[in-house]
């Protein structure tokens, strides 16, 4: 049996949880994803080297390194970390995450607190080592805030990333979470973001997947309370020979709960992108509403894309619907723009901006919206330049 080295200043109870998770890594199955097989992707057992994150000053809420929080707020961490929202023993990757955690943040907003300014955090991966990061967000009753996360890789080393975000939204709270992921070309990534949404609470997800390497992403929301509400927007661009699989799921447990999914992806070169949109209304969730859109735009005949809407309805008195499409750039739109004097590259980027616009305009965070547009432009320009060079 493998044994983990105790991390300095880490409480014994968490070291024991690491060890328990480690023993499960080889026994548990990988998570399943429709039409996307990543079982052969390698996990690299890292030497646990704790990474500190620079955090902005917190005034009427708690924002701190998760390892410090284990000592200062042990009851809070024990109650919620890989225990309520995501179980550490769900699958091979959640067990791996718990065993080898090396970076993390706790954000705790007390009852009735409204944070006016967005809380912004940047996570930087050193590509010379695995990146196992955890963000635990707890919104107490009637709290309101926005959280912006940026994630980037420094260096060109080959490594893995296993990053988890857990959001606990207690009754009548409001959480707006926005993220731009830009992990490196040689980084194989597993990203899991999940929310537990209680009575009349609201969680808004706005996620830009701009990674350069192979990625598996699970975005899940459990609408547990009556009147719970979640909006999920995902924008994804793949280039080169990338492979990405994205599972976005909303499960309606509560009566009159609302969950909407809107995913848009652009695939270029020889890349592959699979969107699975899953809406599940549990029996007893009367008056629930589950709507989703999954759309993929193909920029190359060598690319492979799929958009799979899945509705699982176990209750009668509900509203549910879906839309899905996979298609190539509209040549009439391109011709129109080029007839007005634009070159082909510029015309293509404008068509793509229009395709993604429905999601981009619905992102509530203006800084993230602008940053995503700039990142999209840069990634598309880089891809077009590489194609030109290869010719």
């Amino acid at each position: 049996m493998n044994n983990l080295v105790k991390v300095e200043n880490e409480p014994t109870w968490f070291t024991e949880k690491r060890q328990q998770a480690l023993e499960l890594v080889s026994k548990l199955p990988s998570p399943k994803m429709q039409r996307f097989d990543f079982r052969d992707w390698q996990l690299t057992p890292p030497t646990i080297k704790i990474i500190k994150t620079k955090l902005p000053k917190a005034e009427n809420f708690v924002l701190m390194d998760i390892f410090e929080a284990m000592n200062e707020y042990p009851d809070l961490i024990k109650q919620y970390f890989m225990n309520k929202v995501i179980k550490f023993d769900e699958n091979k990757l959640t067990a791996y995450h718990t065993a080898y955690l090396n970076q993390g943040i706790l954000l705790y907003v007390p009852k009735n607190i409204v944070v006016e300014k967005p809380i912004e955090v940047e996570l930087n991966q050193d590509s010379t080592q695995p990146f196992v990061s955890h963000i635990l967000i707890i919104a107490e009753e009637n709290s309101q805030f926005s959280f912006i996360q940026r994630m980037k890789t420094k260096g060109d080393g080959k490594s893995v990333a296993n990053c988890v975000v857990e959001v606990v939204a207690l009754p009548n709270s409001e959480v707006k979470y926005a993220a731009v992921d830009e992990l490196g070309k040689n980084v194989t990534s597993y990203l899991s973001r999940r929310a537990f949404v209680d009575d009349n609470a609201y969680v808004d997800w706005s996620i830009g997947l701009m990674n350069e390497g192979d990625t598996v992403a699970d975005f899940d929301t459990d609408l547990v309370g009556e009147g719970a509400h979640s909006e999920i927007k995902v924008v994804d661009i793949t280039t080169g020979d990338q492979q990405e699989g994205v599972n976005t799921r909303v499960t309606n447990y509560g009566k009159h709960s609302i969950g909407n999914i809107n995913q848009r992806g652009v695939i270029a070169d020889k890349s592959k992108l699979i969107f699975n949109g899953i809406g599940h209304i549990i029996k007893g969730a009367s008056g629930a509403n589950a709507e989703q859109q999954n759309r993929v735009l193909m920029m190359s005949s060598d690319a492979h894309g799929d958009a799979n809407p899945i509705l699982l309805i176990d209750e009668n008195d509900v509203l549910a619907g879906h839309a899905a499409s996979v298609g190539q750039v509209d040549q009439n739109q391109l011709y129109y723009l080029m007839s007005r004097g634009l070159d082909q590259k510029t015309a293509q980027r404008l068509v793509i901006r229009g395709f993604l616009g429905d999601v981009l305009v619905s992102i509530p965070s203006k800084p993230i919206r602008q940053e995503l547009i700039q990142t999209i432009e840069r990634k598309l320009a880089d891809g077009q330049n590489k194609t030109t060079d290869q010719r």
Side-chain angles (χ1 to χ4, degrees):
M1 180 180 67
N2 294 324
N3 287 294
L4 292 167
V5 177
K6 182 177 173 65
V7 175
E8 184 180 0
N9 297 324
E10 182 176 274
T12 301
W13 66 264
F14 189 73
T15 303
E16 292 173 352
K17 192 178 185 78
R18 283 190 190 273
Q19 187 65 44
Q20 187 179 358
L22 178 65
E23 293 170 359
L24 292 173
V25 171
S26 61
K27 300 175 183 178
L28 292 171
S30 297
K32 294 180 180 179
M33 182 170 289
Q34 294 280 347
R35 304 186 187 185
F36 193 80
D37 187 1
F38 59 96
R39 288 173 295 179
D40 294 334
W41 291 15
Q42 295 299 309
L43 293 175
T44 307
T47 299
I48 301 173
K49 180 181 178 182
I50 301 303
I51 304 167
K52 293 288 186 179
T53 304
K54 292 183 179 179
L55 298 172
K57 184 179 179 181
E59 295 181 357
N60 51 359
F61 56 93
V62 175
L63 181 65
M64 65 190 307
D65 182 272
I66 200 163
F67 296 104
E68 294 177 2
M70 288 175 189
N71 291 301
E72 292 196 33
Y73 299 94
D75 292 340
L76 204 59
I77 302 298
K78 286 180 183 180
Q79 182 179 359
Y80 291 113
F81 175 85
M82 300 297 283
N83 187 44
K84 185 178 181 67
V85 186
I86 301 175
K87 304 293 186 180
F88 81 96
D89 57 357
E90 277 189 17
N91 56 60
K92 182 185 295 292
L93 296 179
T94 56
Y96 173 94
H97 178 87
T98 305
Y100 293 109
L101 180 70
N102 64 7
Q103 184 182 52
I105 295 167
L106 168 68
L107 170 59
Y108 173 75
V109 181
K111 186 176 180 179
N112 299 322
I113 294 296
V114 177
V115 183
E116 298 292 346
K117 293 183 179 180
I119 303 164
E120 301 189 39
V121 169
E122 183 167 313
L123 303 181
N124 292 307
Q125 178 201 14
D126 178 351
S127 64
T128 63
Q129 63 178 318
F131 181 57
V132 187
S133 170
H134 193 98
I135 296 178
L136 175 59
I137 299 173
I138 303 168
E140 288 281 10
E141 290 184 38
N142 301 308
S143 63
Q144 295 181 24
F145 58 92
S146 296
F147 181 82
I148 297 175
Q149 175 194 336
R150 297 173 178 87
M151 191 158 56
K152 298 182 179 181
T153 299
K154 293 185 177 180
D156 299 318
K158 187 175 182 179
S159 62
V160 298
N162 183 310
C163 304
V164 171
V165 176
E166 295 185 284
V167 175
V168 181
L170 295 177
N172 300 300
S173 62
E174 180 180 296
V175 180
K176 294 181 179 179
Y177 172 99
V180 178
D181 300 335
E182 295 183 79
L183 295 175
K185 181 176 177 57
N186 295 317
V187 179
T188 300
S189 307
Y190 169 69
L191 310 176
S192 178
R193 294 176 167 109
R194 190 182 300 178
F196 172 98
V197 189
D198 215 326
D199 291 342
N200 299 307
Y202 175 69
V203 174
D204 184 286
W205 300 98
S206 301
I207 301 169
L209 278 173
M210 301 290 126
N211 296 333
E212 297 287 342
D214 294 343
T215 301
V216 173
D218 273 317
F219 304 139
D220 298 335
T221 303
D222 292 332
L223 300 173
V224 178
E226 182 171 352
H229 183 183
S230 181
E231 301 285 332
I232 307 176
K233 284 89 61 179
V234 179
V235 175
D236 197 346
I237 296 179
T238 60
T239 59
D241 58 358
Q242 270 185 281
Q243 295 188 56
E244 290 201 2
V246 182
N247 254 11
T248 302
R249 176 194 298 270
V250 174
T251 305
N252 298 69
Y253 293 93
K255 295 179 185 295
H256 306 290
S257 54
I258 300 171
N260 295 318
I261 299 170
N262 195 349
Q263 301 189 109
R264 299 280 172 120
V266 177
I267 51 177
D269 307 319
K270 296 181 180 180
S271 62
K272 177 180 181 179
L273 173 62
I274 305 298
F275 271 154
N276 293 317
I278 306 161
H280 190 181
I281 299 179
I282 302 297
K283 185 163 184 63
S286 59
N289 189 338
E291 303 283 344
Q292 59 171 286
Q293 291 189 42
N294 308 279
R295 302 190 185 278
V296 175
L297 182 65
M298 299 177 64
M299 302 296 296
S300 166
S301 58
D302 295 322
H304 176 74
D306 216 338
N308 306 310
I310 302 169
L311 287 176
L312 306 170
I313 312 298
D314 299 325
E315 179 60 55
N316 294 320
D317 181 21
V318 300
L319 292 174
H322 64 77
S325 65
V326 178
Q328 296 183 337
V329 172
D330 189 321
Q331 295 301 314
N332 291 329
Q333 292 179 343
L334 273 182
Y335 176 79
Y336 175 82
L337 292 171
M338 293 172 68
S339 71
R340 296 300 186 269
L342 297 178
D343 61 78
Q344 186 174 0
K345 289 183 180 180
T346 303
Q348 283 182 336
R349 291 205 296 272
L350 285 176
V351 170
I352 292 168
R353 279 278 298 275
F355 172 76
L356 298 176
D358 180 53
V359 177
L360 292 172
V361 298
S362 66
I363 294 175
S365 169
K366 185 175 180 180
I368 284 292
R369 196 162 58 239
Q370 294 301 320
E371 188 170 337
L372 257 180
I373 291 171
Q374 293 170 6
T375 305
I376 289 166
E377 293 284 353
R378 183 173 66 252
K379 189 166 185 179
L380 291 173
D382 289 345
Q384 288 175 330
N385 291 337
K386 288 176 184 176
T387 302
T388 301
D389 292 343
Q390 289 170 355
R391 291 174 183 171

